[in-house]
Amino acid sequence: MHRGNLIIISGPSGAGKGTLVDRLVARVPELWESVSATTRAPRPGETEGEDYFFLTADEFARRIETGDFLEWAEVHGNRYGTLRTAVEAKMAEGRDVILEIDPQGALQVKALMPEAVLVFIVAPSMDELERRIRGRGAETDDQVRVRLATAVHELELVGNYNFVVENDDVARATDELVRIIESLA
Ligand code: ADP
Ligand code: 5GP
């Protein structure tokens, strides 16, 4: 059977990755979105096993030791990782798999699987990025500052990506992502 493609979506916090991936998966039902593990606390409205698998720091460390992660990274002071087994199984079934992960993780996966397709989502400007992070209302002032500083470093890695999509308008950017997925063999 044809092995599914691995599509990685990265971009600064607040650029709109979650919003666009939800739209994309609704438009292309053959896509399967991996659920990551994290040591970050759940935000209001987030569900265990749906948004993330929420692990303690000890559980996360144990799962690193047992080799459960395809990749993992520390982002904004918490650990995040992709669970290997589910991703491998879905790709083997021929499903295209989406990972929404940070650039450190994206580069780890690209080193293991050079055929992975890397897509970087950007906001139209840093001011707009800050508006979106603040508008979401999930972070304190300090956390917003950390996320904006991280965004600057993440943007330096954009040259490693196959595609850059500007999230100016949700519908337009979703159309562009659908076209990218449809262009893959
Ligand atoms: P990320 O997953 O990249 O951190 P989110 O999807 O949570 O970002 O989006 C951050 C905030 O910006 C959310 O409040 C979302 O509704 C809003 N947003 C996303 N895309 C757009 C857009 N094109 N224009 C305006 N606001 C947007
Ligand atoms: P958030 O806390 O806003 O949900 O996510 C923060 C950052 O962690 C985002 O850049 C997101 O892409 C990244 N992230 C989420 N899951 C993973 C993962 O499994 N691995 C890596 N490397 N980064 C992740």
Side-chain angles (χ1 to χ4, degrees):
M1 188 195 283
H2 175 69
R3 195 171 147 84
N5 296 298
L6 186 59
I7 299 122
I8 300 185
I9 307 275
S10 308
S13 177
K17 301 178 296 296
T19 304
L20 295 180
V21 169
D22 286 350
R23 296 280 190 112
L24 180 62
V25 171
R27 287 267 298 273
V28 188
E30 303 81 50
L31 283 173
W32 181 79
E33 186 185 359
S34 167
V35 179
S36 294
T38 183
T39 60
R40 149 164 103 54
R43 293 182 187 137
E46 284 184 334
T47 308
E48 164 73 18
E50 217 170 275
D51 298 287
Y52 282 105
F53 295 104
F54 296 98
L55 304 184
T56 63
D58 282 352
E59 282 167 340
F60 200 101
R62 194 171 48 74
R63 299 194 72 156
I64 294 173
E65 289 301 314
T66 49
D68 290 1
F69 292 117
L70 177 62
E71 60 73 35
W72 69 272
E74 189 163 321
V75 188
H76 317 128
N78 286 297
R79 285 177 167 186
Y80 295 81
T82 303
L83 294 161
R84 182 193 303 276
T85 316
V87 169
E88 296 281 358
K90 295 291 175 184
M91 288 175 71
E93 281 172 22
R95 298 277 299 267
D96 286 350
V97 170
I98 290 250
L99 307 181
E100 193 211 306
I101 65 177
D102 91 306
Q104 304 172 72
L107 297 185
Q108 290 176 45
V109 176
K110 186 84 184 168
L112 293 170
M113 301 179 176
E115 69 282 10
V117 176
L118 272 54
V119 182
F120 199 89
I121 309 285
V122 292
S125 67
M126 285 300 275
D127 282 351
E128 174 61 14
L129 185 67
E130 180 166 358
R131 261 194 297 280
R132 289 183 190 175
I133 298 175
R134 291 193 188 280
R136 191 169 55 188
E139 279 87 24
T140 63
D141 264 2
D142 275 354
Q143 287 169 334
V144 172
R145 273 191 286 277
V146 170
R147 279 163 195 260
L148 289 172
T150 305
V152 174
H153 293 296
E154 291 183 344
L155 282 164
E156 290 166 2
L157 297 172
V158 73
N160 296 289
Y161 282 69
N162 301 93
F163 298 95
V164 180
V165 173
E166 182 177 329
N167 179 18
D168 45 2
D169 172 81
V170 172
R172 193 210 62 77
T174 305
D175 284 347
E176 195 174 334
L177 289 172
V178 170
R179 280 197 300 275
I180 290 171
I181 305 289
E182 287 175 351
S183 75
L184 305 175

